[in-house]
Amino acid sequence: MGDKAAEKRDVWQGTLALMVLKTLQAMGPLHGYGIARRIEQTSGDLLAVNYGTLYPALLKLEQEGYISSEWGFSDNNRKAKYYKLTRAGRKQLNKEEREWEQTTAILARFLAPGEERS
Amino acid sequence: MRQLRAWLSRVGELFGKGRREQEFSAEIDSHLQLHIDDNLRRGMSQTQARREAIMKLGGVEQTKENYRERRGLPLLEVFFQDLRFGARLLHKNPGFTLVAVLTLALGIAANATIFSFVSAILYQRPPVYDSDRVLVVYGTTAARGPGANVNPVSAPNYFTWKRENRVFSDLAALEPYISVSLTGKDEPERISANRATANYFSVIGVAPVLGRAFANGDDQAGHDRVVLLDYRFWERKFGSDPNVVGKTIRLNGAEHTVIGVLPRRFQIMSFRSQVWLPLVLDESQQGAAARQTRTLYLFARSKPGVTLDQAQSDLRTLGSLAVQLFPDTETGRDTSCLTLQEYIIHDFNANAAFVILLSAVGFVLLIACANIAGLLLARATSRGKEMAIRIAIGAGRARVLRQLMTEALLIALLGTIAGLGLALGGTQLLHKVLSFNEAIKMLDMQIDWRVLSYTSAIAVLSALLFGLAPALRAWAVDVFPTLKNDSTKVSAGKKKSRGRSLLVAAEVAMAVMLLTGAGILIKGFLEGLHRSLGFQPQHLLTAQITLPESHYKEPAKQIEFYSELAARLEAMPGATSAAITSNLPAAGAGFMSFLLKGQENLSPADRPRARYYVVSAHYFETIQASVIAGRVFAESDGPNSQPVAVVTEKFVARFFPQGDALGKQIRIDSSDAVATQWRQIVGIVHDVKSWPLNYADDPEVYEPFSQHPAAEMSVVVRAVNDANSLAPGLREAVWSLDRDQPIGSVINMPDLLGNETAPDLIFSELMMVFAVLALVLAGIGIYGLVAFTVGQRSQEIGIRVALGAEKKNILRMVLLDGLRLAAIGAAIGMLGAFPLPRLFEAALYDFHVLGGWLFVIVPALIGAVALLACYIPARRASRVDPMVALRYE
């Protein structure tokens, strides 16, 4: 059981990083809860993962220098830690987006119905 | 790059942990607050909103733990955390810590000490230049046994091989173990000397500290009056005089010029001598006699790039060539070579002893590990609840395992430090005990990086071994029953105590094997020692005398000197009789081949061999060897009378199975024309041991001194009382005959025998020490485990007593439980020990001893120790007060 969970989390962590970067690009500086909400809304009910798993991913991105953080205040005046993309983060996002598109394009070709390869 | 950056920032995060922890707490709080705000806006109640937020987060603590794993370097942090926790535990249980660390320290110290000795011998670098290229060339024969296959070489072969080989840049010859008389400086003295060809020091690459080494031409007849001094000899005789070069000393009656002093640590194999002289060889001597005089040790420097294999195959070719050209003298002989370092190890011939010693200390360490495992296991049982709680609140089993292993490593670390401290003393002690041996005295025995790495390796291995049992146990912890059950359980049940039972049995088995092995070796030593020598060593004084050729070249003069000396010695007050002999009894006389009448056409290699002595008339009377049949030598056996010989019982049994030796003719092979004549066997004497520890006698043959005189002889004098009191008289007697005659080592027979038996004695004593150590450790281990089991069962015992069990029933129950395990272990140990006598016989030269009564005594001894170790806790168990035991908890 532990093994399966770990496997699932690895996949999640990989794509999660990309989603976080994309979210920050689209929304500008945002706190952890906001990022989690945004990802959940965008993905619909498909991503029913605990919000808590977001934080190690944020920490990893920060360690790698793709995002930075500082404390600020939310709309309704709550103290919160805001994350934003760094320049390296933007570059990394572009790169990962391209890679992702490539991967999905290849996969799409494989999975396209009725197209037998000769 | 990114990974490096991430890693660096993780290292940075190791610091300021408290602040980061707080900050993350705040972040989670704010996250929850934002979420709750949202939920409230959606119309949930306060409680509901909070609950939903926490659920959605996936638990506050779990999130924090996941976050921590990503932050900093969790592996390292966890390690330090475990280390701190382990240290705290050890600190809180000083008794446990002391026993565990001391036990391990003893095991480690024994291993480190023995290993430092073995590694000092195996890895010593010979004191020569570029030692990998220095080879020792030797002759081999089909004979078996240690040393037998590494023989010195004859001068004709030396010259041929030096000329014909294609693998050496040079080949030098050394003739060791000769002695010369030093006169004209204080008292006349017999000093040891080596003779070497002029190229010897350039071949091995050693330069003197003062003056020069031998140079070309020094080994030409007429130019050889030069001498190199050993460092210690230079200190002793010349008071380290820096201007000694150019001075002369009188050796064998001729003046020799000192040309240099050799380095202090210069010694190769056992060839240490006080002076070095040029070796003058005559290449024109190519006869059978010259071919049979095999006294040279050859040293070669191989050409660059030549491998040992190539050198050996080249020598094989040369060896077989010699056989083709000189079948009479070379048949059955071959030649080979080894690097100097390998040769020294081969020469030491102690590999079997090393393996035995290392195995013995290995067993001691294993027993120590079993003890510690027992202690840890006992503690693990009482810590079962702690482990269950840890697992329940989120620690992975791997995490718990890691913590237990860290604790084991901590014990190993402390044990190793203490053990190395003990080993420092151990190596010094061992070195001191072994320093009767010149070669060992020269060894550098210390705790070097080799010993340190070996010790660290076995320490880690030990930690894995003794950490394994409690770790496995923690792995198998059932969280719920352990937490629920508390410890109100009555007794542990079979499964729980299986680990402990296994340990007890294993300890007993190992102790039995070690004890039996040590017992066999000690028994062999004692049997060898106590087997009758065949003569009476008490009250015998011995001395070595070598007459200088300059004055005593003629046999008649030698006979005159020694006969007169024997007469004067016998006339000394306090002496009963005296004799002259070529070799002292039990001092390893050499073998000589001989012929029986009627077998003259046997080739030299096929001829029978016996140990060979030349003795004067009163020899057998002086050493008190008993005569079985016929007569021994008398004054009437003169140079011109019928040649005679005396043989031993073993000689008769071997060569005259019918027992009809008396009156038969034999001819002893010798390069000496005087001796090679048929002689009649006139007497049979009792066997005399050829070495003090021999298990079997060798055939021996004796010739009368008057019929085969020699310049180099030994003297034996029997005293009425104290042999040493005759020493001044002995010296006076010699000097009254010849003022300039040196006397070599005057020593009484028991001391001489003691020197011979010392190495075996020390080997046996070492084994004894390790065996006793093993026994004590095993005893402590059994005691600890049984005592713990009794403690665990005190409630069960209380119930038994409450239900009417008598004290003696309880006592018997606990005793039998312990003894049954000991019996199983002993049986396994006996099985393991059973092949030991044959193993030793194969590994050790001239050793055949049966286990015999050891197979009864050792298990009995172990049984007694186990009984004692079980009795103490058993008695405690029998005194359990049911009221106390049941109320407890």
Side-chain angles (χ1 to χ4, degrees):
Chain A
M1 165 176 157
D3 284 351
K4 261 191 204 160
E7 209 175 293
K8 210 164 155 189
R9 202 173 62 188
D10 282 349
V11 177
W12 170 238
Q13 290 282 357
T15 48
L16 185 61
L18 182 53
M19 293 186 209
V20 168
L21 291 177
K22 189 70 194 167
T23 305
L24 287 178
Q25 190 195 35
M27 310 284 294
L30 200 57
H31 45 69
Y33 173 69
I35 299 172
R37 286 291 301 198
R38 166 77 186 178
I39 291 176
E40 197 181 35
Q41 280 164 4
T42 318
S43 66
D45 284 335
L46 291 172
L47 282 180
V49 179
N50 290 332
Y51 291 169
T53 51
L54 182 67
Y55 286 95
L58 286 171
L59 179 60
K60 182 167 185 272
L61 287 170
E62 196 175 359
Q63 283 167 350
E64 288 168 339
Y66 297 138
I67 57 175
S68 60
S69 67
E70 60 185 354
W71 286 91
F73 288 91
S74 73
D75 302 342
N76 43 0
N77 226 11
R78 291 279 184 201
K79 207 175 166 221
K81 198 177 187 184
Y82 278 78
Y83 295 90
K84 66 171 191 211
L85 272 184
T86 62
R87 198 198 301 214
R90 249 179 274 281
K91 268 206 310 218
Q92 176 70 7
L93 178 63
N94 283 334
K95 196 174 133 213
E96 279 195 34
E97 264 179 322
R98 267 202 314 278
E99 279 173 10
W100 185 253
E101 276 160 16
Q102 255 173 6
T103 313
T104 45
I106 294 169
L107 269 178
R109 251 184 276 166
F110 270 98
L111 302 175
E115 232 180 87
E116 293 288 317
R117 287 184 303 146
S118 50
Chain B
M1 266 322 278
R2 284 290 150 192
Q3 252 145 13
L4 183 68
R5 186 199 150 101
W7 192 81
L8 280 175
S9 69
R10 290 177 86 158
V11 171
E13 283 156 9
L14 285 175
F15 308 98
K17 223 158 64 181
R19 192 176 50 79
R20 279 164 212 280
E21 190 79 3
Q22 264 176 3
E23 189 176 330
F24 186 61
S25 263
E27 191 174 3
I28 292 292
D29 279 350
S30 106
H31 173 108
L32 287 176
Q33 209 53 63
L34 289 166
H35 200 163
I36 292 168
D37 287 351
D38 269 3
N39 285 348
L40 287 174
R41 239 172 286 145
R42 260 183 261 155
M44 291 186 195
S45 72
Q46 178 74 34
T47 345
Q48 212 182 352
R50 182 167 182 81
R51 187 179 139 76
E52 207 267 346
I54 291 176
M55 292 280 283
K56 198 74 193 154
L57 185 68
V60 175
E61 287 310 311
Q62 282 84 343
T63 301
K64 281 187 183 170
E65 189 58 41
N66 283 337
Y67 186 81
R68 281 184 207 119
E69 262 178 40
R70 178 62 218 178
R71 193 192 52 208
L73 291 169
L75 260 177
L76 202 65
E77 280 174 60
V78 163
F79 177 71
F80 281 119
Q81 200 180 332
D82 286 350
L83 217 55
R84 263 202 306 276
F85 183 71
R88 213 157 53 219
L89 269 186
L90 292 181
H91 186 71
K92 264 172 40 188
N93 297 297
F96 166 84
T97 310
L98 196 71
V99 172
V101 168
L102 256 180
T103 307
L104 188 65
L106 284 175
I108 294 272
N111 278 276
T113 303
I114 292 302
F115 183 80
S116 75
F117 171 54
V118 170
S119 101
I121 287 175
L122 294 189
Y123 294 103
Q124 63 176 323
R125 301 303 287 181
V128 299
Y129 172 71
D130 197 4
S131 62
D132 288 342
R133 281 178 55 207
V134 177
L135 308 179
V136 180
V137 178
Y138 51 86
T140 63
T141 61
R144 288 174 52 79
N149 237 350
V150 175
N151 300 314
V153 173
S154 69
N157 277 344
Y158 162 63
F159 282 117
T160 314
W161 297 347
K162 184 183 163 91
R163 210 174 41 240
E164 306 282 333
N165 84 79
R166 286 162 301 169
V167 287
F168 305 136
S169 56
D170 204 356
L171 185 64
L174 163 72
E175 185 175 25
Y177 311 129
I178 52 178
S179 59
V180 292
S181 8
L182 171 71
T183 47
K185 206 167 166 57
D186 314 327
E187 281 182 355
E189 198 178 339
R190 198 76 199 159
I191 57 174
S192 57
N194 288 333
R195 287 186 187 278
T197 49
N199 60 352
Y200 177 75
F201 289 97
S202 70
V203 164
I204 62 170
V206 167
V209 288
L210 265 187
R212 64 170 178 94
F214 296 138
N216 263 341
D218 278 345
D219 56 359
Q220 299 306 308
H223 300 86
D224 59 333
R225 295 284 164 79
V226 291
V227 60
L228 279 165
L229 306 183
D230 177 72
Y231 196 90
R232 272 189 269 169
F233 179 75
W234 174 59
E235 281 179 331
R236 181 169 68 89
K237 274 284 164 186
F238 292 91
S240 304
D241 175 10
N243 300 316
V244 72
V245 173
K247 296 199 170 156
T248 59
I249 55 173
R250 180 175 280 272
L251 298 172
N252 283 351
E255 295 293 335
H256 285 68
T257 308
V258 175
I259 57 168
V261 177
L262 290 166
R264 180 199 290 274
R265 294 184 63 81
F266 177 67
Q267 167 166 356
I268 294 175
M269 303 189 260
S270 42
F271 305 149
R272 185 159 196 141
S273 68
Q274 289 160 308
V275 294
W276 288 72
L277 297 167
L279 173 62
V280 180
L281 295 171
D282 184 357
E283 195 169 355
S284 64
Q285 296 279 320
Q286 291 285 339
R291 294 203 153 270
Q292 278 174 320
T293 309
R294 302 184 178 91
T295 54
L296 303 182
Y297 289 76
L298 305 188
F299 290 79
R301 183 164 287 272
S302 59
K303 285 182 183 165
V306 168
T307 65
L308 187 62
D309 272 351
Q310 288 167 339
Q312 282 170 343
S313 89
D314 194 52
L315 281 171
R316 258 197 304 280
T317 316
L318 294 172
S320 53
L321 199 69
V323 174
Q324 282 169 30
L325 294 174
F326 307 97
D328 281 354
T329 53
E330 305 291 338
T331 301
R333 291 176 179 276
D334 200 351
T335 177
S336 188
C337 63
L338 283 175
T339 64
L340 182 54
Q341 183 156 359
E342 287 170 324
Y343 185 87
I344 291 172
I345 296 167
H346 185 93
D347 197 44
F348 235 92
N349 191 49
N351 285 345
F354 289 169
V355 172
I356 291 171
L357 279 176
L358 282 176
S359 324
V361 289
F363 269 83
V364 171
L365 186 63
L366 278 178
I367 294 175
C369 284
N371 270 4
I372 301 169
L375 285 172
L376 286 174
L377 204 55
R379 214 177 50 158
T381 311
S382 42
R383 280 174 72 187
K385 223 160 130 190
E386 176 200 332
M387 296 305 153
I389 291 173
R390 280 168 181 275
I391 291 170
I393 61 171
R397 277 169 205 266
R399 177 76 182 67
V400 171
L401 208 74
R402 205 156 65 195
Q403 185 209 321
L404 286 173
M405 286 323 268
T406 311
E407 285 177 39
L409 276 174
L410 198 63
I411 294 174
L413 181 73
L414 292 177
T416 308
I417 292 169
L420 283 174
L422 287 177
L424 271 179
T427 46
Q428 269 165 21
L429 189 72
L430 191 63
H431 194 255
K432 208 188 232 158
V433 170
L434 290 172
S435 58
F436 62 87
N437 181 318
E438 276 292 311
I440 292 177
K441 214 168 168 180
M442 297 291 293
L443 285 179
D444 230 357
M445 255 174 75
Q446 33 172 256
I447 309 290
D448 56 4
W449 64 269
R450 272 195 200 90
V451 179
L452 281 181
S453 27
Y454 177 80
T455 313
S456 315
I458 57 170
V460 170
L461 222 64
S462 308
L464 287 179
L465 269 179
F466 62 70
L468 198 64
L472 283 177
R473 169 147 208 146
W475 188 264
V477 157
D478 271 331
V479 176
F480 289 116
T482 314
L483 285 179
K484 213 166 46 189
N485 235 351
D486 209 356
S487 50
T488 46
K489 248 179 321 182
V490 166
S491 73
K494 271 227 160 76
K495 198 170 165 232
K496 283 270 172 76
S497 56
R498 196 186 294 151
R500 290 197 293 274
S501 309
L502 207 71
L503 280 177
V504 170
E507 281 199 50
V508 171
M510 286 188 288
V512 163
M513 279 172 70
L514 186 49
L515 234 60
T516 314
I520 290 170
L521 291 171
I522 293 163
K523 183 171 175 245
F525 171 73
L526 292 178
E527 274 179 15
L529 192 65
H530 290 304
R531 232 174 48 82
S532 159
L533 284 164
F535 70 97
Q536 289 299 326
Q538 267 70 44
H539 308 313
L540 275 185
L541 186 68
T542 74
Q544 319 283 325
I545 290 177
T546 305
L547 299 177
E549 265 192 33
S550 49
H551 294 73
Y552 298 93
K553 203 168 167 56
E554 299 80 41
K557 282 217 167 152
Q558 296 166 351
I559 295 178
E560 187 195 325
F561 178 90
Y562 280 118
S563 314
E564 186 54 34
L565 178 61
R568 289 193 189 187
L569 291 176
E570 286 191 333
M572 280 192 299
T576 54
S577 73
I580 308 299
T581 174
S582 58
N583 283 87
L584 291 172
F591 279 97
M592 196 73 98
S593 63
F594 62 93
L595 281 176
L596 302 176
K597 193 105 190 181
Q599 301 182 338
E600 287 86 341
N601 45 8
L602 275 181
S603 77
D606 295 333
R607 290 178 191 172
R609 283 148 51 88
R611 290 194 188 267
Y612 169 76
Y613 292 83
V614 175
V615 301
S616 71
H618 294 172
Y619 177 71
F620 297 102
E621 181 188 327
T622 307
I623 68 165
Q624 294 182 356
S626 43
V627 182
I628 308 280
R631 67 173 179 89
V632 291
F633 304 132
E635 271 85 6
S636 55
D637 294 312
N640 304 315
S641 57
Q642 153 77 35
V644 291
V646 166
V647 298
T648 56
E649 278 177 290
K650 187 78 177 191
F651 186 100
V652 177
R654 179 82 58 87
F655 305 116
F656 296 94
Q658 270 88 41
D660 51 353
L662 279 187
K664 289 284 160 52
Q665 304 265 312
I666 59 170
R667 197 185 77 192
I668 293 161
D669 291 328
S670 166
S671 51
D672 194 338
V674 191
T676 46
Q677 44 191 331
W678 290 101
R679 41 185 77 242
Q680 191 176 29
I681 298 174
V682 293
I684 301 167
V685 294
H686 197 279
D687 286 319
V688 172
K689 263 198 211 172
S690 31
W691 285 109
L693 288 176
N694 270 20
Y695 299 93
D697 292 307
D698 294 317
E700 292 180 332
V701 59
Y702 296 85
E703 277 183 1
F705 175 69
S706 54
Q707 292 177 357
H708 193 174
E712 190 170 344
M713 299 296 284
S714 296
V715 176
V716 269
V717 191
R718 180 160 294 281
V720 180
N721 283 313
D722 179 21
N724 286 337
S725 68
L726 294 185
L730 187 148
R731 290 201 180 88
E732 225 165 87
V734 174
W735 290 332
S736 69
L737 280 168
D738 185 341
R739 281 194 42 75
D740 281 341
Q741 178 56 48
I743 305 165
S745 62
V746 179
I747 182 171
N748 67 51
M749 198 71 207
D751 283 354
L752 188 67
L753 294 175
N755 289 350
E756 288 294 342
T757 52
D760 294 59
L761 178 68
I762 283 162
F763 183 54
S764 305
E765 279 173 353
L766 272 179
M767 289 301 290
M768 180 87 106
V769 167
F770 296 142
V772 169
L773 196 59
L775 192 64
V776 170
L777 285 179
I780 293 174
I782 297 169
Y783 166 77
L785 288 167
V786 173
F788 178 77
T789 314
V790 167
Q792 289 286 102
R793 290 173 69 184
S794 64
Q795 281 170 321
E796 174 208 331
I797 293 168
I799 292 174
R800 281 174 191 265
V801 175
L803 291 178
E806 285 181 46
K807 276 189 175 188
K808 62 176 187 206
N809 294 346
I810 302 290
L811 192 74
R812 197 168 58 211
M813 177 184 78
V814 175
L815 270 184
L816 281 181
D817 273 1
L819 285 183
R820 202 180 54 232
L821 288 177
I824 294 171
I828 295 169
M830 297 273 279
L831 280 180
F834 199 64
L836 282 180
R838 251 169 304 151
L839 219 63
F840 288 157
E841 201 173 322
L844 299 171
Y845 172 65
D846 190 28
F847 187 96
H848 21 125
V849 170
L850 295 175
W853 43 261
L854 277 172
F855 286 111
V856 181
I857 286 205
V858 169
L861 193 64
I862 293 276
V865 169
L867 192 68
L868 186 72
C870 298
Y871 179 73
I872 303 167
R875 213 178 53 151
R876 199 179 313 138
S878 73
R879 291 188 177 162
V880 160
D881 180 347
M883 289 308 284
V884 175
L886 294 176
R887 200 181 328 132
Y888 192 59
E889 294 293 336

